[in-house]
Amino acid sequence: MGYSIENIVGTPEEYARAENWLRQPEPVHEVDTLFIYPTVYGDPSPDAPAFVPIDDPKMAAGAEYIYGMQATAYEKYTNVFAPRYRQANLTTLDEAGGEMLERALLGLPRTDVYAALDYYFEKCNNGRPFIIAGHSQGAAILRLVLKKYFKEHPEYYER
């Protein structure tokens, strides 16, 4: 099952679509959590894509499962926002390592998460303080967010 790059998200406008969010709650708490789920897609077959689109059924099922295992811990006290994103195949990540891994994450996954953040801060956050949480690929992307995104958006970092 090959995918083409036409499965592009990567713009804040696309994150206005509910299907591009794993969770986008109506806020009931005073604090938000931005949860970037870990690597849930792994296909070792030779023709597997290096990146999988956000609407891939296997990735969607894995993301739902992991959300239930990890992100629900935040739901009692925070509004949990979890964007879907085009993810690097676990096999690709295993082979990348170090600098190659960061370059891989700087591509499609970063583009989508930055777009989701732009949409979240513009349309969903309403000035509330927030927590960022992630694991595995999600944590690696959040490292880039801390290192680069918030440098471009210090007004958000201050919260």
Side-chain angles (χ1 to χ4, degrees):
M1 176 197 285
Y3 294 104
S4 70
I5 206 65
E6 277 97 43
N7 300 61
I8 290 183
V9 176
T11 66
E13 295 78 25
E14 290 297 322
Y15 281 94
R17 298 173 55 199
E19 63 267 20
N20 290 335
W21 291 86
L22 186 57
R23 293 292 186 282
Q24 187 183 28
E26 279 297 319
V28 295
H29 301 288
E30 294 180 16
V31 176
D32 294 343
T33 296
L34 291 162
F35 179 74
I36 310 301
Y37 54 87
T39 307
V40 295
Y41 183 83
D43 184 346
S45 63
D47 64 337
F51 295 93
V52 64
I54 63 172
D55 60 355
D56 179 87
K58 287 182 187 175
M59 189 174 73
E64 284 290 342
Y65 176 76
I66 291 295
Y67 183 93
M69 297 283 294
Q70 296 179 358
T72 53
Y74 299 98
E75 287 181 342
K76 185 173 180 180
Y77 302 103
T78 71
N79 310 302
V80 181
F81 291 82
R84 296 182 189 279
Y85 63 98
R86 289 171 290 178
Q87 211 175 59
N89 186 339
L90 179 61
T91 304
T92 302
L93 290 179
D94 282 346
E95 293 170 2
E99 188 178 313
M100 287 292 290
L101 172 60
E102 185 165 329
R103 281 195 295 170
L105 296 179
L106 278 171
L108 302 176
R110 181 207 56 87
T111 299
D112 289 347
V113 171
Y114 277 29
L117 290 173
D118 287 345
Y119 180 82
Y120 162 78
F121 284 118
E122 179 69 27
K123 304 290 186 185
C124 305
N125 177 256
N126 294 320
R128 287 183 301 277
F130 62 92
I131 297 164
I132 59 173
H135 172 72
S136 181
Q137 186 168 169
I141 293 169
L142 288 177
R143 235 184 357 262
L144 295 173
V145 167
L146 288 170
K147 195 163 127 180
K148 299 176 189 245
Y149 183 86
F150 286 135
K151 188 179 274 189
E152 297 170 17
H153 301 284
E155 69 277 16
Y156 304 145
Y157 183 76
E158 292 173 10
R159 289 190 220 151

